[in-house]
Amino acid sequence: MSETKITVIYDNPTDPAAFEAAYEAEQLEAARKIPGHIRIETSKVWPKEDGSPTPAYRSIDLYYPDYDAASAAVTTPEAGAFFEAMGRLSTGGVRVLFSDIEIAQH
């Protein structure tokens, strides 16, 4: 079995300043506490040059050795705290994906 990635895609928040004020402590630090990940990546989407809305605002990727490990991780209290905060902060919407890594970049 190959690595599995959990991706959280945050759509554009209704109040970007409020989102950013809470992001580090309530999302990034909470994501780091979810057990079992082998690495974590975060991204902020570049603004469009014409000022139109971007298709997303930020993302967090948590990488796990396999699907079973990722599935177990989301049942932990740490993941519960992360997802509770995600629900509060994601005023523009949010998507969560489980993906099979086809080509690992090690």
Side-chain angles (χ1 to χ4, degrees):
M1 221 186 306
S2 60
E3 287 182 9
T4 294
K5 172 174 72 167
I6 300 172
T7 301
V8 178
I9 302 170
Y10 303 91
D11 293 329
N12 293 294
T14 56
D15 183 346
F19 181 90
E20 289 298 323
Y23 174 76
E24 179 80 28
E26 295 189 40
Q27 286 296 261
L28 188 53
E29 287 305 315
R32 288 182 175 128
K33 292 177 183 176
I34 299 172
H37 63 272
I38 54 178
R39 75 180 183 278
I40 185 171
E41 293 178 347
T42 65
S43 303
K44 187 171 182 184
V45 178
W46 287 107
K48 288 187 174 183
E49 291 178 7
D50 67 1
S52 63
T54 58
Y57 185 72
R58 278 193 175 274
S59 66
I60 296 176
D61 293 301
L62 295 161
Y63 293 84
Y64 288 86
D66 54 39
Y67 181 82
D68 291 340
S71 295
V74 298
T75 67
T76 64
E78 294 87 353
F82 172 82
F83 288 118
E84 185 279 324
M86 180 189 75
R88 281 187 293 102
L89 296 175
S90 302
T91 57
V94 64
R95 291 163 277 164
V96 179
L97 311 168
F98 272 59
S99 302
D100 180 40
I101 305 299
E102 293 179 336
I103 300 174
Q105 302 294 319
H106 292 284

XYZ file of all heavy atoms in Angstrom:
818
model
N 0.834 -1.174 0.000
C 0.000 0.000 0.000
C 0.884 1.246 0.000
O 1.939 1.266 0.598
C -0.892 -0.008 1.236
C -2.282 0.449 0.915
S -3.422 0.667 2.315
C -3.379 -0.863 3.179
N 0.419 2.297 -0.652
C 1.200 3.532 -0.732
C 0.728 4.544 0.308
O -0.254 4.327 1.002
C 1.072 4.118 -2.136
O -0.276 4.404 -2.428
N 1.451 5.628 0.394
C 1.098 6.693 1.330
C -0.288 7.251 1.030
O -0.752 7.232 -0.105
C 2.106 7.838 1.236
C 3.443 7.543 1.825
C 4.383 8.738 1.748
O 3.955 9.850 1.388
O 5.567 8.547 2.057
N -0.912 7.771 2.076
C -2.197 8.445 1.957
C -2.036 9.864 2.468
O -1.333 10.104 3.451
C -3.276 7.708 2.771
O -3.493 6.431 2.176
C -4.589 8.474 2.791
N -2.696 10.785 1.794
C -2.648 12.200 2.172
C -4.051 12.651 2.536
O -5.013 12.378 1.814
C -2.104 13.009 0.997
C -2.172 14.504 1.175
C -1.493 15.256 0.047
C -2.262 15.190 -1.236
N -1.776 16.156 -2.238
N -4.166 13.337 3.658
C -5.409 14.019 4.017
C -5.192 15.482 3.679
O -4.258 16.114 4.167
C -5.743 13.870 5.515
C -5.893 12.394 5.893
C -7.005 14.666 5.842
C -6.037 12.166 7.386
N -6.036 16.013 2.815
C -5.943 17.410 2.397
C -7.157 18.171 2.903
O -8.295 17.731 2.712
C -5.882 17.525 0.864
O -4.757 16.799 0.381
C -5.786 18.974 0.419
N -6.904 19.290 3.545
C -7.955 20.206 3.973
C -7.815 21.450 3.104
O -6.773 22.098 3.109
C -7.830 20.562 5.464
C -8.915 21.550 5.881
C -7.873 19.302 6.319
N -8.852 21.752 2.329
C -8.846 22.927 1.447
C -9.834 23.945 2.001
O -11.037 23.679 2.070
C -9.233 22.549 0.007
C -8.282 21.491 -0.538
C -9.257 23.799 -0.883
C -8.733 20.878 -1.855
N -9.311 25.074 2.414
C -10.136 26.154 2.948
C -10.508 27.087 1.806
O -9.638 27.632 1.132
C -9.363 26.962 3.996
C -8.851 26.128 5.143
C -7.584 25.549 5.104
C -9.636 25.935 6.262
C -7.119 24.789 6.157
C -9.171 25.177 7.332
C -7.914 24.608 7.265
O -7.454 23.851 8.310
N -11.805 27.276 1.606
C -12.248 28.257 0.619
C -12.070 29.658 1.204
O -11.765 29.818 2.389
C -13.694 27.981 0.226
C -13.824 26.659 -0.532
O -12.879 26.265 -1.242
O -14.881 26.020 -0.407
N -12.246 30.663 0.380
C -12.013 32.047 0.801
C -12.912 32.417 1.985
O -14.137 32.365 1.876
C -12.263 32.995 -0.366
C -11.230 32.811 -1.448
O -10.055 33.085 -1.243
N -11.643 32.320 -2.607
N -12.313 32.777 3.126
C -13.110 33.110 4.308
C -13.852 34.427 4.126
O -13.412 35.301 3.361
C -12.067 33.216 5.424
C -10.779 33.503 4.733
C -10.874 32.882 3.369
N -14.943 34.572 4.860
C -15.696 35.819 4.782
C -14.909 36.975 5.402
O -15.084 38.118 5.013
C -17.070 35.688 5.467
O -16.872 35.267 6.821
C -17.954 34.684 4.742
N -14.038 36.661 6.364
C -13.183 37.667 7.002
C -11.752 37.118 7.042
O -11.361 36.450 8.006
C -13.698 37.971 8.405
C -12.908 39.063 9.114
O -11.797 39.432 8.649
O -13.393 39.552 10.156
N -10.952 37.383 5.994
C -9.593 36.841 5.950
C -8.735 37.221 7.163
O -7.945 36.405 7.647
C -9.014 37.417 4.658
C -10.205 37.666 3.800
C -11.281 38.103 4.752
N -8.880 38.423 7.670
C -8.072 38.847 8.817
C -8.401 38.004 10.056
O -7.492 37.591 10.789
C -8.278 40.329 9.105
N -9.673 37.739 10.284
C -10.071 36.909 11.429
C -9.571 35.477 11.248
O -9.102 34.852 12.207
C -11.584 36.933 11.600
N -9.657 34.961 10.032
C -9.155 33.618 9.748
C -7.660 33.544 10.046
O -7.196 32.643 10.740
C -9.437 33.226 8.298
C -8.952 31.836 7.958
C -9.782 30.749 8.122
C -7.670 31.628 7.476
C -9.342 29.468 7.820
C -7.214 30.355 7.177
C -8.060 29.269 7.350
N -6.897 34.494 9.529
C -5.448 34.492 9.723
C -5.083 34.633 11.201
O -4.117 34.023 11.660
C -4.790 35.596 8.902
C -4.787 35.332 7.414
C -4.012 34.088 7.009
O -2.959 33.793 7.611
O -4.459 33.403 6.081
N -5.842 35.418 11.941
C -5.561 35.618 13.366
C -5.689 34.311 14.144
O -4.971 34.094 15.121
C -6.488 36.680 13.944
N -6.575 33.430 13.709
C -6.810 32.173 14.415
C -6.111 30.976 13.789
O -5.960 29.939 14.440
C -8.316 31.904 14.467
N -5.662 31.091 12.559
C -5.146 29.954 11.790
C -3.979 29.246 12.470
O -3.987 28.015 12.627
C -4.751 30.417 10.382
C -4.071 29.358 9.554
C -4.810 28.327 8.994
C -2.703 29.395 9.336
C -4.198 27.342 8.232
C -2.078 28.420 8.574
C -2.830 27.397 8.021
O -2.212 26.428 7.277
N -2.970 29.975 12.877
C -1.761 29.364 13.452
C -2.099 28.515 14.678
O -1.720 27.351 14.754
C -0.740 30.443 13.816
C 0.535 29.916 14.431
C 1.529 29.380 13.416
O 1.529 29.831 12.275
O 2.311 28.486 13.796
N -2.793 29.095 15.634
C -3.067 28.395 16.886
C -4.176 27.362 16.757
O -4.068 26.267 17.303
C -3.427 29.403 17.974
N -5.241 27.692 16.046
C -6.411 26.825 16.033
C -6.421 25.795 14.920
O -7.172 24.821 15.010
C -7.681 27.666 15.977
C -7.872 28.510 17.218
C -9.223 29.175 17.261
O -10.218 28.530 16.882
O -9.267 30.345 17.658
N -5.615 25.985 13.896
C -5.589 24.997 12.821
C -4.215 24.377 12.656
O -4.070 23.169 12.722
C -6.056 25.609 11.491
C -7.539 25.834 11.452
C -8.324 24.531 11.529
O -8.765 24.019 10.523
N -8.497 23.997 12.716
N -3.205 25.186 12.441
C -1.880 24.633 12.180
C -1.342 23.864 13.385
O -0.884 22.730 13.254
C -0.923 25.740 11.749
C 0.433 25.279 11.255
C 0.301 24.234 10.150
C 1.219 26.470 10.742
N -1.399 24.457 14.565
C -0.914 23.759 15.761
C -1.764 22.533 16.056
O -1.242 21.490 16.461
C -0.867 24.694 16.962
C 0.254 25.700 16.887
C 1.632 25.068 16.687
O 1.946 24.069 17.369
O 2.397 25.564 15.841
N -3.070 22.630 15.839
C -3.949 21.475 16.059
C -3.642 20.365 15.056
O -3.640 19.183 15.414
C -5.410 21.908 15.957
N -3.350 20.714 13.820
C -3.001 19.707 12.806
C -1.718 18.987 13.192
O -1.605 17.763 13.026
C -2.858 20.359 11.436
N -0.761 19.720 13.704
C 0.513 19.114 14.116
C 0.323 18.091 15.234
O 1.124 17.174 15.376
C 1.494 20.195 14.566
C 2.038 21.021 13.433
C 3.051 22.038 13.932
N 3.649 22.746 12.827
C 3.705 24.073 12.736
N 3.217 24.836 13.697
N 4.266 24.644 11.686
N -0.727 18.248 16.037
C -0.980 17.337 17.158
C -1.701 16.061 16.740
O -1.761 15.112 17.524
C -1.789 18.064 18.232
C -1.004 19.171 18.911
C -1.851 19.906 19.915
C -1.062 21.060 20.531
N -1.903 21.848 21.436
N -2.269 16.017 15.534
C -2.940 14.796 15.087
C -1.866 13.721 14.937
O -0.885 13.913 14.229
C -3.709 15.023 13.768
C -4.788 16.089 13.962
C -4.334 13.714 13.278
C -5.467 16.519 12.672
N -2.029 12.587 15.586
C -0.945 11.599 15.614
C -0.752 10.841 14.302
O -1.665 10.724 13.489
C -1.379 10.635 16.727
C -2.848 10.766 16.800
C -3.169 12.180 16.407
N 0.480 10.351 14.154
C 0.784 9.392 13.102
C 1.248 9.933 11.775
O 1.699 9.165 10.933
N 1.155 11.250 11.558
C 1.572 11.745 10.241
C 3.093 11.687 10.112
O 3.818 11.809 11.091
C 1.021 13.146 9.938
C 1.501 14.220 10.850
N 0.869 14.526 12.020
C 2.552 15.048 10.759
C 1.509 15.514 12.610
N 2.543 15.849 11.872
N 3.535 11.477 8.870
C 4.969 11.401 8.616
C 5.521 12.726 8.106
O 6.715 12.953 8.148
C 5.326 10.234 7.660
C 4.524 10.308 6.365
C 5.113 8.906 8.360
C 4.855 9.226 5.352
N 4.620 13.575 7.632
C 5.005 14.949 7.312
C 3.743 15.788 7.133
O 2.647 15.267 6.968
C 5.930 15.039 6.106
C 5.335 14.840 4.766
C 6.446 14.966 3.689
N 5.874 14.836 2.384
C 5.593 13.688 1.788
N 5.834 12.549 2.388
N 5.067 13.671 0.587
N 3.936 17.079 7.172
C 2.832 18.023 7.021
C 3.288 19.133 6.090
O 4.457 19.529 6.108
C 2.382 18.568 8.401
C 1.155 19.459 8.276
C 3.514 19.268 9.105
C 0.550 19.845 9.618
N 2.382 19.590 5.245
C 2.641 20.739 4.365
C 1.455 21.679 4.469
O 0.313 21.237 4.586
C 2.782 20.309 2.909
C 3.980 19.475 2.607
C 4.047 19.041 1.150
O 3.057 19.169 0.403
O 5.109 18.558 0.759
N 1.749 22.968 4.433
C 0.680 23.963 4.390
C 0.938 24.890 3.213
O 2.087 25.085 2.808
C 0.613 24.778 5.691
O 1.801 25.540 5.825
C 0.436 23.872 6.896
N -0.128 25.439 2.685
C -0.014 26.333 1.533
C -1.005 27.473 1.661
O -2.093 27.309 2.213
C -0.329 25.578 0.230
O 0.510 24.478 0.060
N -0.623 28.616 1.123
C -1.540 29.747 0.973
C -1.592 30.064 -0.517
O -0.560 30.192 -1.177
C -1.073 30.968 1.763
C -2.098 32.084 1.741
C -1.736 33.194 2.691
C -2.829 34.260 2.666
N -2.464 35.403 3.500
N -2.796 30.158 -1.037
C -2.990 30.370 -2.473
C -2.615 31.806 -2.835
O -3.016 32.755 -2.155
C -4.459 30.074 -2.858
C -4.705 30.335 -4.336
C -4.817 28.631 -2.500
N -1.825 31.939 -3.909
C -1.465 33.270 -4.398
C -2.722 34.001 -4.846
O -3.614 33.409 -5.451
C -0.540 33.169 -5.618
C 0.854 32.750 -5.306
C 1.415 31.542 -5.577
C 1.879 33.524 -4.694
N 2.715 31.509 -5.158
C 3.034 32.720 -4.618
C 1.935 34.826 -4.204
C 4.226 33.174 -4.068
C 3.126 35.277 -3.654
C 4.247 34.456 -3.592
N -2.800 35.306 -4.584
C -3.945 36.082 -5.094
C -3.868 36.201 -6.614
O -2.783 36.160 -7.193
C -3.781 37.450 -4.428
C -2.354 37.520 -3.989
C -1.863 36.120 -3.811
N -5.015 36.325 -7.239
C -5.041 36.525 -8.689
C -4.658 37.970 -8.994
O -5.024 38.895 -8.265
C -6.427 36.213 -9.249
C -6.746 34.745 -9.246
C -8.048 34.514 -9.974
C -8.337 33.049 -10.127
N -9.560 32.823 -10.906
N -3.932 38.158 -10.074
C -3.466 39.500 -10.427
C -4.605 40.453 -10.758
O -4.498 41.656 -10.552
C -2.484 39.411 -11.586
C -1.178 38.755 -11.176
C -0.203 38.610 -12.320
O -0.459 39.120 -13.426
O 0.844 37.974 -12.094
N -5.719 39.909 -11.264
C -6.843 40.782 -11.625
C -7.778 41.061 -10.455
O -8.778 41.758 -10.597
C -7.625 40.190 -12.800
C -8.357 38.902 -12.462
O -8.296 38.440 -11.298
O -9.005 38.349 -13.367
N -7.464 40.502 -9.270
C -8.272 40.758 -8.086
C -9.486 39.866 -7.932
O -10.195 39.954 -6.929
N -9.751 38.990 -8.886
C -10.905 38.094 -8.776
C -10.612 37.008 -7.738
O -9.455 36.718 -7.440
C -11.242 37.489 -10.136
O -10.174 36.695 -10.615
N -11.670 36.413 -7.182
C -11.474 35.400 -6.140
C -10.683 34.189 -6.630
O -10.830 33.758 -7.770
C -12.894 34.986 -5.774
C -13.766 36.094 -6.241
C -13.085 36.688 -7.434
N -9.847 33.674 -5.750
C -9.101 32.453 -6.047
C -10.014 31.250 -5.806
O -11.016 31.363 -5.098
C -7.860 32.350 -5.149
O -8.288 32.366 -3.791
C -6.888 33.494 -5.413
N -9.686 30.080 -6.365
C -10.538 28.908 -6.165
C -10.449 28.329 -4.750
O -11.265 27.511 -4.366
C -10.014 27.908 -7.193
C -8.621 28.343 -7.463
C -8.595 29.830 -7.285
N -9.466 28.758 -3.980
C -9.291 28.321 -2.591
C -8.402 29.355 -1.906
O -7.813 30.212 -2.558
C -8.657 26.942 -2.546
N -8.301 29.254 -0.584
C -7.541 30.232 0.193
C -6.270 29.633 0.801
O -5.186 30.185 0.643
C -8.444 30.795 1.298
C -7.824 31.892 2.109
C -7.632 33.153 1.567
C -7.435 31.669 3.424
C -7.056 34.173 2.317
C -6.869 32.684 4.185
C -6.681 33.930 3.620
O -6.106 34.940 4.359
N -6.408 28.514 1.497
C -5.290 27.815 2.130
C -5.534 26.324 2.050
O -6.650 25.880 1.827
C -5.149 28.190 3.616
C -4.421 29.477 3.883
C -4.083 29.556 5.383
N -3.281 30.702 5.704
C -1.959 30.749 5.628
N -1.274 29.704 5.253
N -1.303 31.848 5.943
N -4.464 25.564 2.330
C -4.628 24.118 2.459
C -3.608 23.579 3.455
O -2.552 24.185 3.686
C -4.476 23.412 1.113
O -3.167 23.525 0.619
N -3.975 22.457 4.045
C -3.081 21.693 4.911
C -3.090 20.268 4.388
O -4.156 19.704 4.115
C -3.538 21.706 6.384
C -3.496 23.115 6.962
C -2.676 20.751 7.223
C -4.031 23.217 8.385
N -1.908 19.679 4.221
C -1.763 18.285 3.809
C -1.055 17.521 4.918
O 0.036 17.907 5.343
C -0.939 18.164 2.525
C -1.639 18.758 1.329
O -2.753 18.305 1.011
O -1.071 19.677 0.698
N -1.674 16.443 5.370
C -1.087 15.541 6.347
C -0.827 14.218 5.651
O -1.749 13.626 5.084
C -2.035 15.325 7.528
C -2.329 16.546 8.383
C -3.591 16.339 9.190
C -1.159 16.823 9.301
N 0.401 13.748 5.679
C 0.798 12.521 4.985
C 0.926 11.384 5.990
O 1.536 11.564 7.057
C 2.129 12.726 4.268
C 2.038 13.702 3.124
C 2.124 15.067 3.348
C 1.856 13.251 1.830
C 2.037 15.971 2.298
C 1.780 14.147 0.766
C 1.865 15.504 1.021
O 1.771 16.390 -0.025
N 0.395 10.214 5.618
C 0.415 9.027 6.463
C 1.011 7.856 5.688
O 0.954 7.828 4.463
C -1.010 8.696 6.937
C -1.490 9.692 7.951
C -2.087 10.887 7.553
C -1.298 9.479 9.307
C -2.484 11.831 8.486
C -1.694 10.417 10.247
C -2.288 11.588 9.828
O -2.665 12.514 10.763
N 1.537 6.863 6.412
C 2.151 5.724 5.737
C 1.172 4.954 4.854
O 1.568 4.376 3.846
C 2.659 4.834 6.867
C 2.606 5.639 8.100
C 1.664 6.775 7.857
N -0.114 4.955 5.234
C -1.114 4.220 4.453
C -2.517 4.696 4.843
O -2.689 5.502 5.769
C -0.959 2.702 4.635
C -0.984 2.270 6.088
O -1.775 2.824 6.887
O -0.201 1.366 6.434
N -3.499 4.164 4.150
C -4.899 4.554 4.366
C -5.359 4.213 5.784
O -6.060 4.993 6.423
C -5.790 3.870 3.324
C -7.241 4.234 3.454
C -7.731 5.416 2.895
C -8.128 3.407 4.134
C -9.064 5.773 3.021
C -9.463 3.755 4.273
C -9.926 4.927 3.713
O -11.241 5.280 3.832
N -4.966 3.042 6.277
C -5.387 2.625 7.612
C -4.878 3.588 8.680
O -5.601 3.936 9.618
C -4.914 1.203 7.908
C -5.641 0.162 7.060
O -6.735 0.462 6.537
O -5.106 -0.955 6.923
N -3.644 4.036 8.550
C -3.073 4.983 9.515
C -3.803 6.326 9.458
O -4.091 6.933 10.498
C -1.584 5.176 9.258
N -4.120 6.793 8.256
C -4.856 8.059 8.115
C -6.257 7.934 8.689
O -6.740 8.841 9.378
C -4.908 8.464 6.643
N -6.894 6.805 8.424
C -8.248 6.582 8.938
C -8.257 6.530 10.460
O -9.171 7.069 11.102
C -8.815 5.284 8.367
O -8.979 5.397 6.973
N -7.255 5.894 11.047
C -7.166 5.835 12.508
C -6.907 7.220 13.093
O -7.463 7.570 14.143
C -6.069 4.856 12.927
N -6.089 8.010 12.422
C -5.726 9.338 12.934
C -6.940 10.236 13.086
O -7.021 11.009 14.048
C -4.691 9.987 12.022
N -7.888 10.171 12.168
C -9.036 11.077 12.224
C -10.049 10.690 13.297
O -10.997 11.431 13.535
C -9.727 11.247 10.850
C -8.774 11.851 9.834
C -10.313 9.947 10.355
N -9.834 9.561 13.971
C -10.726 9.153 15.052
C -10.205 9.570 16.423
O -10.848 9.306 17.431
C -10.940 7.625 15.045
O -9.708 6.976 15.371
C -11.465 7.138 13.698
N -9.059 10.250 16.469
C -8.431 10.623 17.743
C -9.030 11.914 18.305
O -9.599 12.729 17.563
C -6.916 10.813 17.555
O -6.697 11.917 16.669
C -6.260 9.543 17.009
N -8.886 12.115 19.611
C -9.336 13.384 20.200
C -8.636 14.594 19.574
O -9.249 15.659 19.418
C -8.971 13.247 21.686
C -8.871 11.776 21.925
C -8.404 11.175 20.630
N -7.358 14.436 19.209
C -6.619 15.542 18.586
C -7.249 15.937 17.257
O -7.380 17.127 16.941
C -5.154 15.146 18.382
C -4.383 14.934 19.658
C -4.485 13.516 20.230
O -5.265 12.689 19.727
O -3.764 13.233 21.193
N -7.646 14.948 16.473
C -8.326 15.237 15.205
C -9.687 15.865 15.468
O -10.110 16.776 14.749
C -8.465 13.972 14.368
N -10.370 15.402 16.507
C -11.662 15.995 16.863
C -11.543 17.477 17.158
O -12.358 18.284 16.711
N -10.498 17.856 17.896
C -10.269 19.274 18.204
C -9.959 20.054 16.936
O -10.455 21.179 16.743
C -9.124 19.408 19.215
N -9.156 19.472 16.058
C -8.828 20.119 14.785
C -10.092 20.354 13.956
O -10.328 21.452 13.461
C -7.829 19.264 13.998
C -7.590 19.762 12.605
C -6.696 20.790 12.374
C -8.269 19.219 11.523
C -6.474 21.270 11.085
C -8.057 19.688 10.240
C -7.164 20.713 10.017
N -10.920 19.310 13.806
C -12.108 19.422 12.963
C -13.157 20.351 13.572
O -13.867 21.049 12.840
C -12.690 18.044 12.655
C -11.852 17.260 11.684
C -11.281 16.050 12.050
C -11.607 17.729 10.409
C -10.494 15.329 11.164
C -10.815 17.023 9.514
C -10.265 15.817 9.892
N -13.233 20.399 14.895
C -14.158 21.339 15.538
C -13.751 22.768 15.217
O -14.580 23.592 14.819
C -14.168 21.095 17.051
C -15.195 21.932 17.810
C -14.745 23.356 18.102
O -13.540 23.560 18.375
O -15.585 24.263 18.035
N -12.467 23.078 15.345
C -11.976 24.420 15.028
C -12.126 24.708 13.537
O -12.474 25.823 13.145
C -10.526 24.571 15.463
N -11.880 23.713 12.708
C -12.033 23.880 11.261
C -13.461 24.309 10.921
O -13.672 25.220 10.119
C -11.698 22.564 10.544
C -11.816 22.640 9.042
S -11.650 20.995 8.290
C -13.259 20.307 8.708
N -14.430 23.681 11.553
C -15.827 24.040 11.305
C -16.146 25.473 11.669
O -16.898 26.152 10.977
N -15.563 25.951 12.757
C -15.794 27.336 13.183
C -15.099 28.344 12.285
O -15.635 29.408 11.987
C -15.307 27.549 14.618
C -16.216 27.051 15.687
C -15.764 27.431 17.096
N -14.514 26.753 17.480
C -13.308 27.312 17.481
N -13.155 28.569 17.139
N -12.241 26.622 17.847
N -13.880 28.028 11.862
C -13.063 28.995 11.123
C -13.348 29.036 9.627
O -13.042 30.020 8.965
C -11.577 28.703 11.345
C -11.085 28.866 12.773
C -9.629 28.438 12.879
C -11.259 30.297 13.239
N -13.915 27.992 9.097
C -14.100 27.878 7.642
C -15.381 28.564 7.199
O -16.318 27.938 6.708
C -14.119 26.399 7.243
O -12.923 25.787 7.638
N -15.413 29.866 7.342
C -16.615 30.636 7.045
C -16.936 30.701 5.556
O -18.058 31.014 5.179
C -16.483 32.063 7.607
O -15.300 32.661 7.043
C -16.384 32.047 9.127
N -15.960 30.393 4.712
C -16.189 30.396 3.267
C -16.396 29.002 2.697
O -16.620 28.832 1.510
N -16.285 27.988 3.554
C -16.409 26.603 3.121
C -15.086 25.876 3.258
O -14.026 26.494 3.376
N -15.161 24.559 3.257
C -13.969 23.731 3.416
C -14.237 22.374 2.790
O -15.380 21.921 2.747
C -13.581 23.588 4.914
C -14.644 22.862 5.702
C -12.226 22.942 5.078
N -13.184 21.754 2.273
C -13.266 20.393 1.728
C -12.150 19.572 2.357
O -11.052 20.076 2.573
C -13.092 20.411 0.207
C -14.287 21.067 -0.490
C -13.971 21.460 -1.901
N -13.286 22.765 -1.833
C -12.593 23.282 -2.810
N -12.423 22.622 -3.936
N -12.011 24.458 -2.688
N -12.450 18.306 2.648
C -11.457 17.390 3.194
C -11.396 16.177 2.271
O -12.418 15.587 1.952
C -11.805 16.947 4.629
C -10.765 15.969 5.169
C -11.942 18.159 5.551
N -10.182 15.853 1.829
C -9.975 14.748 0.889
C -8.991 13.744 1.460
O -8.010 14.126 2.088
C -9.396 15.279 -0.431
C -10.063 16.469 -1.083
C -9.187 17.008 -2.197
C -11.421 16.068 -1.618
N -9.225 12.464 1.201
C -8.235 11.407 1.418
C -7.749 11.018 0.037
O -8.557 10.682 -0.830
C -8.888 10.181 2.069
C -8.937 10.204 3.563
C -9.592 11.212 4.252
C -8.346 9.182 4.284
C -9.655 11.206 5.622
C -8.409 9.176 5.664
C -9.057 10.189 6.338
N -6.439 11.044 -0.185
C -5.888 10.734 -1.510
C -4.768 9.711 -1.398
O -3.980 9.734 -0.454
C -5.310 11.996 -2.167
O -6.290 12.997 -2.284
N -4.701 8.845 -2.404
C -3.616 7.880 -2.540
C -2.465 8.576 -3.246
O -2.647 9.132 -4.337
C -4.107 6.682 -3.354
C -3.050 5.619 -3.548
O -2.303 5.338 -2.598
O -2.987 5.057 -4.655
N -1.278 8.579 -2.636
C -0.111 9.206 -3.264
C 0.413 8.255 -4.318
O 0.856 7.154 -4.010
C 0.988 9.517 -2.217
C 0.439 10.361 -1.086
C 2.185 10.184 -2.883
C -0.098 11.708 -1.488
N 0.391 8.684 -5.559
C 0.830 7.818 -6.651
C 2.326 7.931 -6.916
O 2.971 6.953 -7.249
C 0.035 8.145 -7.912
C -1.426 7.770 -7.748
C -2.261 8.103 -8.960
O -1.893 9.000 -9.744
O -3.300 7.443 -9.135
N 2.891 9.128 -6.752
C 4.322 9.332 -6.950
C 4.824 10.113 -5.746
O 4.570 11.305 -5.612
C 4.638 10.108 -8.242
C 4.101 9.350 -9.467
C 6.146 10.335 -8.376
C 4.235 10.110 -10.770
N 5.506 9.435 -4.844
C 6.015 10.084 -3.629
C 7.251 10.917 -3.978
O 8.078 10.506 -4.779
C 6.363 9.041 -2.593
N 7.379 12.077 -3.331
C 8.495 12.985 -3.540
C 9.392 12.977 -2.319
O 9.313 13.838 -1.471
C 7.986 14.407 -3.813
C 7.070 14.522 -4.993
C 7.769 14.227 -6.294
O 8.897 14.642 -6.508
N 7.116 13.489 -7.174
N 10.247 11.962 -2.192
C 11.140 11.865 -1.014
C 12.536 12.253 -1.398
O 13.024 12.085 -2.420
C 11.153 10.458 -0.442
C 9.837 10.099 0.165
N 9.424 10.562 1.381
C 8.834 9.306 -0.288
C 8.230 10.085 1.654
N 7.849 9.315 0.664
